[in-house]
Structure formats: structure tokens, C-alpha cells
Amino acid sequence: MSTAALAKQIRIGALRMTSRGGASHIASILSIADIVAVLYGQTLRVDPAQPRWPARDRFIISKGHAGAAVYVALAERGFFPASLLDTYFKDGSVLSGHFSHKEVPGSEFSTGSLGHGLPVGCGMAYAAKLQSGSQRVFVLLSDGECDEGSNWEAALFAPHHRLDNLVAIVDFNKFQSLDAVEKTLNLEPLADKWRSFGWAVKEVDGHDHAALQQTLGALPFEKEKPSCLIAHTLKGKGVSFMEQNPITWHYRTAKGEEFEAALKEMERA
Amino acid sequence: MRKVFAAQLLAEFKQNQRLMLLAGDLGYGVLEDIVKQCPRQYLNVGVAEQNMMGIATGLALEGYSVFVYSIANFPILRCLEQVRNDVCYHGANVKIVSIGGGFSYGGLGFSHHATEDLAIMRAMPYMTVVAPGDRFETAQATAVLARHVGPAYLRLDKLDKSLPDSAAAGDTGFSLGKARVLRPGKDVTLMASGGIVFEALKAAELLAQEGVDCRVLSMHTVSPLDVDAVTKAARETRALVTVEEHTVTGGLGSAVAETCLEAAVLPHKFYRLGLRTGFATAVGSQEYLRKQYGMAAIHIQDTVKRLLG
């Protein structure tokens, strides 16, 4: 399956899951659909037949509220049956609204509270260095999540220890929970911040598969430095009325006509 | 007790390369031998406790057993959500070591008083909570936790003393989750966690002179609590007094009360000795603060006499 086809599956799957389950955060999920598709479709060295294969790449979704995108990717890659996705956010399911690893093959780490992923990724990357392992550690963060101080503690740590097996991807869709990032707590100049902490930084259009594939295919960006990829994205990408009202669609569940309209746009893409 | 801890950990490190120690930029005069002799197993992560706990979790998920070392509330309260979500939820092999239990750093002020830690850590899922009372218990607890699977909290006192030999009292040594009988007795049971057990022993001697026979238990493991020792004491003696350098809310005293009620073995008399003023705002040494806040031997003695009427 091409990464573009996987992204389409992620969008449609997550729309169905959030709609049936009555869950939020569809706009945040659509924002990372292409990144997650490139990761699971091409970049990550993972094996569905051996989810705990020691040399696998580790992936942590630190913005756990968009975990539905990863659940779909894992199912599409064959880590578990796609039928499990239908239980998402429902009573008795193992697939919680925010990303959980319990009884979910292929998942590394449970998140949901922001600012937890990068420190844990540092620990995993440090362990890989100690063991001279070839695995890499990828952590996907949201832009609003960059408000959390724990990320900047980790941002100091990784370059100090030359963790060039660590990759932080920031989903920079410019909107956080209640308002635009620049109106809430400005992050700019974001690339300069990471660079000044000692990371090798690249910026990319987070919906351009060729660009994502190329950038994530050439890691680390610099030897002996952790890599930071700032992905410029659109919150709600792929559904015009969500792109236009990204804050509303941080919370709202697409039902009825809205669901049908969103699905139609996704299927046409 | 921190030096005993460090010496024991060094011995464990030499046997097991999968043990690690993370320090939050603290440990001057304590951790040097480990740093020198096992540099690959040691990491000072800087003054960044949230990151420290995340890193510990990441290492643990990759197969290491990680000791995290800091003082007072820094490795628990500062990063409590990392403890809960990262360490506990994932059942990670992380052993949180806080030196400076209770008023160990008394004169430094309230920020350095660990007086809610037992309650909070006891509430953390899967967390084993240990507060050794002396050098022997500290070395034993360190050795046991180096082999223990799952999260644990080790609360160390700053004092560096050894309890008297208690073999004659029927004590069979250190076993996680089992109280140690430091002194046999049939009238009253004094139960203490951490270095304050020395005050309980002193009180038992004072009371013996007045004809009151006290059993003294070192409750070095606060969670899981030794249910048998507690219910036995409630059945066999006329009063239970818990002693902890900690708020009376949620710590040893609460654990003992919960245990008795649920086992339907009600102590005839019961009292929790501990901090009842919220914060200890007076300035002074550990010994001074114990006296100031009603946890010294004389207060234990008075409490027992009041309970026995």
C-alpha cells in the first residue's frame, strides 16, 4: 500500500471511529494522518509478525489524543485485525480515546497527558546507545504540547548525550486547544528554539508525502545530533469545513450529514 | 543510611549490568564510588525531575532496572504524573529513592520536609513502599529492590544508626512486606516506619520502667502492609500506636487502621502519632522538630499512658 493510500485509510478509519464512538479530536488526527502514514508505510522498521522484535524502531505518539490515527495504521499494517477498530472508545474496548498500549500489539507507550513522550523517548534512545542497538526512536508531538516544560528538559538532554538515534516530529498546525498558537503562547521562532538547544532541525510540508519520505529517509539529519522535524500542517486537513474551523473540530464529533460530507471529501481525495 | 544504600547498590551493580542509577544532580559525597567504578550504569540527568522519571521509564522499558536518586519531594511530587502515568501504568522497573524522609533535612525548611510521601506513594498503583529504620534494613531493602520487578519507592532517613540485635525478640530478619519484631511485648504495640522507630524503642524502655510491656514493630514496608502482624497486634495487645515522621493522613497509621477495620479485628485503643499541623513551620534539626511536633519518645510514652487510662 502506498503511503498516500495509507493516509486515506487513516483519515476514513479515524472519521468512522470517532463518529461511532462519539469521540473528539478528529481535526488533530487529520493533521498527522500523512505523517503517521509515511512513518508506518515507509520509515519505521517494524514487523507485525514480531511486535516486540528487539531491533524494531520505537514510535511514541506523545499527542495521545490523536491516537486513533496510530490505531488505524497499526491495523492496516497487520498488527491486529481491523475489526478491533470498530470498538474504539466504546465500553469494553482496549482502544481508549487517548493512546494506550495495553493489549494493543505494535504500540510502545501509553500517553494522553501531554509532555510525557519525549523524556521516555530519551530513555529509550539512551538505552539503544548503551546497547549499541541500531533501532531509532521517533516521538510525535503537537505544537500546543510544546508549552510543557518537560519537553524542554528533554530537549536539553538529547543533544548533550548526542542521541542521534532520536527523532522528534512536531505537528505544527498552528492551533492548540482553544485558540491559535500565536495568540495562546507563541512558539516562534520554533525551529530556532530547537536548533539553539542543539538539535539538527528540518522543516517540511507535513502533508507532502514525497517530502516527508525524503526527509525521514535521511536520518539522522546530522551525525551526533538528535533530529527535529517541524512538520507544517493544517488542523483538520482533508475536510474543508474542518480546516476552516479547526478549534470547533478539536472537540466536535462528525455525525449525520457532517459525517457524510467529510467522508465524501476523504473518498474523493 | 544513604551511604549504606550506595555501598549496597554498588555491590549489586557489579553483579548486574542491567542496573542503572539516575541522579537529579544530587548525591555529593554519596555516589562517587558508583560513578567511578560503574560509569556506564550511572547518569546525572541534571535538575530536571520530570525528564528524569521519563528517562528512567524509557530505560526500564528497554530492559534496565533503574534506581532514581534525589532528595525529599523532588523525585516524587515534582514529577508525580510521570510516576503515575509512565512508571506505574507501564509497570516499569523503576525504584525511586528519596533521601531525606520526614524531617531529615529539618533545618532547611518546609520545602525539604517529606511529610506526605508515604500517603501519596502508597496510593500509586503497583507501587511497593519501603521506609527502612536503620542501616541493616536499608542494605537489605536495597538488595531486595535490586531484584524486585515493578515500581518501588525507597524512603531513606538521613540518620546512620543500627538497631539493636533483635533475634532474641523473635525477629527473623528482613523480608519485604513483613514487619520486624524488634521487641516482644504483651500490653501495647508500637509500630513505626523509618528512623523514627528509634523513638518507639526509647519509649518502650521508658514505659517498661513504669511496668508497661510494649511490643515494637519496624514496619519497614508500608505497602504492602504486613496484615498478619497488624491483626495479631490488635488481638494480642491492649492498644496500637503508630509512629511516623509524616502527616497522620494516609500513611502508616491510616494503613493500619484500614487493615484492622477490613479484617474486623478492632484494636481496643488506637492512635496515630505523626504530624497534625499540616506543615512543620518551626526551624530546627530532625530531633528538635520531632519534639516540637509531638513525635518524640516522650510523646509516645504519654500517648500510651493516656490510652491505657
Side-chain angles (χ1 to χ4, degrees):
Chain A
M1 187 188 292
S2 71
T3 63
L6 180 54
K8 188 170 177 175
Q9 285 304 107
I10 290 172
R11 287 197 162 88
I12 292 171
L15 178 72
R16 286 212 171 98
M17 286 156 69
T18 52
S19 180
R20 287 178 188 157
S24 303
H25 305 121
I26 183 64
S28 310
I29 295 164
L30 296 178
S31 171
I32 61 164
D34 297 298
I35 298 167
V36 171
V38 170
L39 283 170
Y40 276 96
Q42 178 171 316
T43 310
L44 295 175
R45 299 171 193 144
V46 290
D47 180 0
Q50 337 166 49
R52 306 298 297 168
W53 171 42
R56 73 194 181 279
D57 286 336
R58 275 64 167 167
F59 172 66
I60 295 175
I61 177 152
S62 196
K63 50 173 290 183
H65 56 285
V70 182
Y71 290 146
V72 179
L74 287 172
E76 290 293 332
R77 281 296 312 268
F79 281 93
F80 53 81
S83 58
L84 194 63
L85 298 174
D86 296 337
T87 68
Y88 173 78
F89 211 69
K90 290 183 179 164
D91 292 350
S93 178
V94 297
L95 304 180
S96 50
H98 289 65
F99 194 76
S100 172
H101 78 290
K102 301 250 172 177
E103 297 176 63
V104 183
S107 68
E108 286 302 332
F109 189 71
S110 300
T111 53
S113 175
L114 299 174
H116 285 249
L118 198 54
V120 174
C122 282
M124 290 177 167
Y126 193 90
K129 289 283 181 191
L130 279 177
Q131 297 163 8
S132 305
S134 60
Q135 70 267 33
R136 303 163 303 169
V137 182
F138 296 77
V139 182
L140 177 56
L141 301 103
S142 76
D143 45 12
E145 182 177 10
C146 290
D147 295 354
E148 295 280 6
S150 50
N151 290 317
W152 300 103
E153 294 182 3
L156 280 173
F157 179 89
H160 182 89
H161 293 281
R162 297 192 284 277
L163 300 180
D164 59 5
N165 53 353
L166 178 65
V167 186
I169 304 171
V170 182
D171 169 33
F172 198 10
N173 62 32
K174 322 295 185 296
F175 283 93
Q176 46 195 95
S177 174
L178 296 178
D179 206 340
V181 168
E182 65 171 349
K183 287 185 185 164
T184 307
L185 201 52
N186 189 25
L187 289 173
E188 294 285 19
L190 185 58
D192 288 347
K193 284 187 174 69
W194 289 92
R195 212 167 271 131
S196 71
F197 274 65
W199 293 63
V201 182
K202 287 190 181 178
E203 298 189 61
V204 70
D205 174 344
H207 303 302
D208 179 340
H209 284 244
L212 282 167
Q213 286 173 13
Q214 190 186 13
T215 316
L216 289 170
L219 292 166
F221 296 157
E222 274 181 54
K223 222 172 164 346
E224 303 220 323
K225 281 187 177 184
S227 305
C228 173
L229 180 61
I230 295 176
H232 294 279
T233 53
L234 273 177
K235 190 160 177 165
K237 172 71 178 179
V239 179
S240 53
F241 60 88
M242 292 185 185
E243 290 176 16
Q244 283 151 22
N245 280 301
I247 298 299
T248 299
W249 291 99
H250 189 91
Y251 300 100
R252 189 155 161 169
T253 305
K255 297 264 188 196
E257 284 178 14
E258 284 174 335
F259 171 81
E260 296 300 335
L263 185 63
K264 199 176 281 175
E265 283 196 43
M266 288 174 179
E267 284 174 338
R268 245 196 345 246
Chain B
M1 300 206 280
R2 52 196 183 167
K3 291 203 170 173
V4 175
F5 159 75
Q8 186 65 43
L9 196 63
L10 178 59
E12 303 294 338
F13 269 29
K14 288 183 172 170
Q15 290 174 34
N16 183 358
Q17 307 266 307
R18 284 296 177 119
L19 292 171
M20 295 263 321
L21 174 66
L22 304 189
D25 205 29
L26 288 164
Y28 181 79
V30 180
L31 304 179
E32 281 79 356
D33 286 345
I34 291 177
V35 179
K36 225 175 285 167
Q37 296 181 42
C38 306
R40 280 176 63 83
Q41 288 167 271
Y42 168 81
L43 179 60
N44 179 0
V45 304
V47 192
E49 291 79 11
Q50 294 184 74
N51 192 38
M52 175 162 70
M53 209 51 73
I55 290 168
T57 303
L59 285 164
L61 295 178
E62 296 298 331
Y64 291 90
S65 179
V66 188
F67 282 76
V68 177
Y69 182 93
S70 187
I71 71 176
N73 299 308
F74 310 159
I76 47 171
L77 299 195
R78 182 58 175 260
C79 49
L80 188 59
E81 198 184 61
Q82 276 78 12
V83 173
R84 178 186 181 272
N85 292 14
D86 302 352
V87 176
C88 294
Y89 188 75
H90 294 84
N93 240 337
V94 174
K95 323 296 171 193
I96 304 165
V97 183
S98 176
I99 54 160
F103 299 138
S104 292
Y105 288 103
L108 294 184
F110 83 99
S111 62
H112 284 57
H113 297 166
T115 45
E116 300 85 26
D117 58 333
L118 296 176
I120 291 165
M121 296 312 275
R122 198 164 75 82
M124 290 293 114
Y126 318 139
M127 184 70 70
T128 296
V129 179
V130 189
D134 77 337
R135 295 170 56 90
F136 167 73
E137 289 184 4
T138 300
Q140 292 286 309
T142 306
V144 170
L145 291 183
R147 291 161 183 77
H148 178 78
V149 177
Y153 174 58
L154 180 63
R155 182 206 223 211
L156 297 181
D157 215 291
K158 217 181 164 191
L159 98 168
D160 193 24
K161 286 167 39 175
S162 290
L163 288 161
D165 184 4
S166 50
D171 175 32
T172 52
F174 185 95
S175 175
L176 202 64
K178 286 284 161 210
R180 289 179 68 212
V181 185
L182 301 180
R183 185 185 169 117
K186 60 182 190 324
D187 295 333
V188 173
T189 304
L190 307 178
M191 300 179 180
S193 294
I196 202 162
V197 72
F198 283 90
E199 298 290 335
L201 275 175
K202 209 187 293 176
E205 279 164 32
L206 295 171
L207 285 158
Q209 288 162 22
E210 301 181 50
V212 181
D213 188 19
C214 291
R215 178 181 304 179
V216 180
L217 302 182
S218 173
M219 307 296 290
H220 51 71
T221 309
V222 179
S223 184
L225 197 71
D226 186 343
V227 175
D228 289 344
V230 169
T231 51
K232 198 160 176 277
R235 270 193 212 100
E236 296 174 354
T237 60
R238 283 187 285 148
L240 298 190
V241 177
T242 57
V243 186
E244 56 197 313
E245 207 166 293
H246 184 270
T247 169
V248 291
T249 306
L252 173 68
S254 300
V256 169
E258 292 160 12
T259 299
C260 288
L261 275 172
E262 287 197 346
V265 181
L266 300 192
H268 304 287
K269 301 277 182 173
F270 178 73
Y271 195 73
R272 295 167 298 153
L273 263 180
L275 189 61
R276 286 182 179 262
T277 59
F279 286 109
T281 52
V283 178
S285 66
Q286 185 172 34
E287 199 182 354
Y288 174 83
L289 292 177
R290 282 177 181 171
K291 284 190 182 128
Q292 202 67 20
Y293 292 97
M295 304 167 207
I298 184 169
H299 303 106
I300 302 171
Q301 183 190 14
D302 287 349
T303 300
V304 168
K305 283 156 75 174
R306 180 171 57 77
L307 290 179
L308 294 181

